[in-house]
Amino acid sequence: MTKKPDILRIAIAQLNPTVGDVAGNLAKAREARADAARQGADLVLYTELFLAGYPPEDLVLKPAFLKVCEKAAQEFAADTSDGGPGVIIGTPLKRKSGTHNSIIVADGGKIIAERYKLDLPNYGEFDEKRVFQAGPEIQGPVNFRGVRIGIPICEDIWGDVGICESLAESGAEILLVPNGSPYYRAKIDVRHQVVIRQVIECGLPITYANQLGGQDELIFDGASFAIGADKTLAFQMSQFEEAVDVITWKRGEDGWVCAEGPMSKIPEREEADYRACMLGLRDYVNKNGFKNVVLGLSGGIDSAICAALAVDALGEERLRAVMMPYRYTSKDSLKDAEDCARALGCRYDIVPIFEPVEGFLHALTQLFEGTKEGITEENLQSRARGTILMAISNKFGSMVVTTGNKSEMSVGYATLYGDMNGGFNPIKDLYKMQVYALSRWRNSHVPPGALGPSGEVIPKNIIDKAPSAELRENQTDQDSLPPYPVLDDILECLVENEMGVDDIVARGHDRATVTRVEHLLYIAEYKRRQAAPGVKITRKNFGRDRRYPITNRFRDRG
């Protein structure tokens, strides 16, 4: 009888795949396996649907894509004939029972097991039931070199369907879970609690391997970890960083115990949000093949933090900042924008918009005769700026970074085909007060992996002065909107928490203000449908998480 091993060294491959780049993902997997082999690993655990990239969405409806993914899985399985580590890696697989979100286990040059995801998420940012079929039944543990390993996939441990408990009952000794769990604020605490609950149910240690990287609006933050059978944190990998860490597990009288593994410090709230925005922008630009980016630097807080994020994510040489002054642009704004660009070290150009705006106004003189000047004329300024940025984009191949925050986008305080122009928005899911908090944080810290300078990169005057679009004389945002601390709290109640007007008023807000904000939120839906994608930071972002009709007459009147 073969003696069961007393030590199992599992490498967690916390990596950044690219959706659709199957060859690139396979090469990354091979590199990680070689690294794990050098570290003495017996097994490498990759993340959910790693070979395809996650989430692949409707790509899995293409037979050609599925064939490429399965071929890559077979090739990777063949690699294990070299006597090195076995692998657990995610890939979509088409079988008689349907197309499944799957993993393969490979060792000794062949695939020794397949397992299919049972609980397909269909909420928030997930719609897996649209493209996958659930596994036909709970599959038992896999015997890997004498160790019985249960492999539930991501959502299989989030629900109350008893998958972990069933695996334990069928003989599993340890559970390894490949995940594609997107970031939102304080998500790590949520994951820990989910796993602790399952450990209590099944009595087994659970390793949670999570993907890293930006994919459109989703950010995968890594932060892989394990909870031991004693319900304590066994190891914690870093957040927002690629890593291949080998964890040593030892068999004891009461089962498997983590004997050696990293215990990384997890960033605090502002740092985590900032690094999520930075990672999202970097991956969106690089994975889509843009060489550089351009943004309008107005002297305001939103464009300043976007400029800082761009330099931190991409480097100063890949950002062009453009100030586009008009008659209402203050001297302070001109100085603040220049000071910000100088502090960041990026290219800074000034393109006045007086002539194009006046040209538009002249062309419309006859049509507008007898009408009063107002928002239409203000928006012409914004649209002239948007046109200039798009012209620079077309001429030089630079992606336009758009800079509107969640507070503005919630209530429609943005101009279609103007300041909303752009390919990606790193602060799309940050409320205005969060923008201020992250700006203050960045002036005192340089996040790991940032390419930008230390010190004050967002001039203090930008943070201190009253925010203004500067589209008319002496304009401030608060001419049209409630104070941002009030507005942000009301919006968080309406958007994140789906609270009724009466409940929001009970928090101390003025009823007329709440009903007005609710009305503005609903009527701005058509603008948000046309907005650039941007990093998801909160539990409920616009787009994937919150899908309201454009045509909508409902108003909460209590």
Side-chain angles (χ1 to χ4, degrees):
M1 182 175 177
T2 305
K3 184 179 182 294
K4 290 185 177 181
D6 293 326
I7 294 178
L8 186 65
R9 294 181 177 89
I10 303 173
I12 310 300
Q14 180 175 289
L15 304 175
N16 187 344
T18 299
V19 168
D21 184 10
V22 180
N25 296 339
L26 176 58
K28 189 177 280 285
R30 282 171 163 158
E31 184 180 347
R33 181 173 178 269
D35 185 1
R38 287 190 292 269
Q39 297 184 59
D42 302 304
L43 175 65
V44 187
L45 174 62
Y46 296 85
T47 54
E48 183 175 13
L49 290 178
F50 184 85
L51 290 173
Y54 187 80
E57 301 185 90
D58 283 12
L59 274 175
V60 298
L61 301 178
K62 296 185 76 67
F65 180 69
L66 295 175
K67 288 179 181 178
V68 170
C69 289
E70 179 148 13
K71 183 173 182 289
Q74 291 168 348
E75 290 177 4
F76 196 37
D79 290 352
T80 63
S81 64
D82 62 6
V87 298
I88 298 173
I89 193 164
T91 184
L93 292 175
K94 188 173 180 61
R95 297 293 182 258
K96 290 181 179 179
S97 51
T99 300
H100 300 296
N101 180 334
S102 315
I103 60 93
I104 64 155
V105 184
D107 195 29
K110 61 184 179 180
I111 295 173
I112 62 174
E114 296 176 1
R115 293 294 183 265
Y116 312 129
K117 191 173 184 177
L118 291 163
D119 194 2
L120 301 178
N122 202 48
Y123 58 87
E125 63 267 38
F126 302 110
D127 52 6
E128 288 193 28
K129 288 183 179 178
R130 186 169 179 272
V131 295
F132 288 115
Q133 284 74 51
E137 59 188 9
I138 295 179
Q139 301 119 344
V142 177
N143 188 328
F144 177 81
R145 301 184 185 180
V147 182
R148 292 176 64 81
I149 299 173
I151 314 171
I153 301 173
C154 200
E155 192 72 14
D156 288 346
I157 71 167
W158 284 73
D160 296 316
V161 290
I163 295 172
C164 294
E165 192 173 10
S166 294
L167 285 166
E169 290 171 352
S170 58
E173 302 172 58
I174 189 170
L175 302 185
L176 305 182
V177 189
N179 295 271
S181 177
Y183 174 83
Y184 59 68
R185 192 174 295 123
K187 183 73 170 286
I188 290 178
D189 293 337
V190 177
R191 295 183 193 130
H192 284 183
Q193 291 305 311
V194 166
V195 175
I196 288 170
R197 177 168 55 85
Q198 293 293 354
V199 169
I200 292 170
E201 290 291 324
C202 71
L204 298 176
I206 297 178
T207 293
Y208 188 106
N210 194 34
Q211 181 174 303
L212 183 84
Q215 172 58 30
D216 296 343
E217 296 192 304
L218 300 180
I219 305 303
F220 298 92
D221 55 314
S224 305
F225 66 97
I227 302 293
D230 62 356
K231 301 179 285 296
T232 63
L233 187 65
F235 72 84
Q236 176 67 67
M237 291 175 64
S238 60
Q239 192 177 24
F240 304 113
E241 296 172 354
E242 282 194 302
V244 179
D245 288 340
V246 174
I247 318 301
T248 300
W249 292 87
K250 290 187 177 180
R251 187 195 298 273
E253 291 183 3
D254 298 322
W256 290 93
V257 177
C258 178
E260 185 180 354
M263 197 60 74
S264 300
K265 184 180 178 182
I266 296 301
E268 298 294 333
R269 173 171 167 161
E270 278 77 21
E271 179 183 347
D273 285 355
Y274 191 93
R275 292 176 69 181
C277 293
M278 189 174 81
L279 176 60
L281 179 60
R282 175 183 289 157
D283 275 1
Y284 191 87
V285 170
N286 290 340
K287 290 181 179 182
N288 284 291
F290 293 103
K291 293 181 179 178
N292 46 53
V293 298
V294 59
L295 61 75
L297 194 61
S298 68
I301 188 77
D302 297 321
S303 63
I305 194 172
C306 287
L309 283 163
V311 169
D312 284 341
L314 306 169
E316 62 186 47
E317 72 284 356
R318 296 179 69 185
L319 170 65
R320 181 198 295 257
V322 184
M323 159 56 87
M324 294 167 282
Y326 188 56
R327 64 176 68 183
Y328 304 121
T329 303
S330 67
K331 291 181 180 178
D332 274 354
S333 292
L334 285 164
K335 182 178 185 303
D336 292 342
E338 184 177 355
D339 288 348
C340 183
R342 185 181 295 114
L344 290 168
C346 64
R347 175 166 178 168
Y348 178 66
D349 296 302
I350 299 177
V351 181
I353 64 166
F354 181 83
E355 289 186 1
V357 172
E358 294 302 309
F360 282 129
L361 291 172
H362 179 74
L364 293 164
T365 298
Q366 206 169 0
L367 280 174
F368 286 2
E369 188 175 359
T371 64
K372 292 182 179 180
E373 284 194 11
I375 292 175
T376 301
E377 286 74 18
E378 293 178 17
N379 286 345
L380 278 175
Q381 299 166 50
S382 181
R383 291 189 172 116
R385 292 182 174 113
T387 299
I388 287 168
L389 291 175
M390 291 309 300
I392 294 170
S393 174
N394 291 160
K395 179 63 70 173
F396 300 108
S398 307
M399 188 197 78
V400 178
V401 173
T402 186
T403 61
N405 62 68
K406 190 171 186 176
S407 304
E408 295 171 349
M409 289 307 305
S410 295
V411 295
Y413 198 71
T415 305
L416 272 174
Y417 325 119
D419 59 311
M420 287 178 63
N421 280 1
F424 194 77
N425 183 352
I427 64 167
K428 180 180 181 179
D429 202 29
L430 290 174
Y431 290 111
K432 189 75 167 188
M433 298 311 296
Q434 292 165 354
V435 170
Y436 280 108
L438 264 61
S439 298
R440 294 188 184 96
W441 180 87
R442 177 58 182 89
N443 276 349
S444 302
H445 304 83
V446 181
L451 302 176
S454 60
E456 186 182 274
V457 294
I458 300 174
K460 186 173 183 295
N461 192 54
I462 290 179
I463 296 174
D464 291 344
K465 69 185 179 182
S468 170
E470 293 192 329
L471 298 175
R472 62 175 182 270
E473 203 72 50
N474 300 318
Q475 182 186 30
T476 67
D477 291 3
Q478 260 59 80
D479 296 341
S480 308
L481 301 172
Y484 278 115
V486 173
L487 177 63
D488 286 359
D489 189 66
I490 293 172
L491 287 171
E492 191 165 352
C493 291
L494 289 168
V495 176
E496 268 75 58
N497 300 321
E498 298 287 2
M499 289 171 61
V501 168
D502 287 345
D503 292 331
I504 301 172
V505 171
R507 288 171 61 89
H509 291 294
D510 172 68
R511 181 175 293 275
T513 301
V514 175
T515 56
R516 176 171 170 259
V517 171
E518 182 209 36
H519 176 70
L520 292 173
L521 176 66
Y522 283 145
I523 65 172
E525 184 63 34
Y526 79 101
K527 287 187 179 182
R528 291 190 291 271
R529 293 285 183 95
Q530 300 178 66
V535 176
K536 172 181 162 68
I537 294 292
T538 66
R539 283 177 176 265
K540 188 172 288 189
N541 73 336
F542 292 123
R544 283 182 173 269
D545 295 334
R546 186 182 186 276
R547 307 178 191 184
Y548 270 66
I550 295 173
T551 304
N552 171 25
R553 290 190 179 181
F554 174 77
R555 300 294 183 270
D556 181 4
R557 295 296 176 256

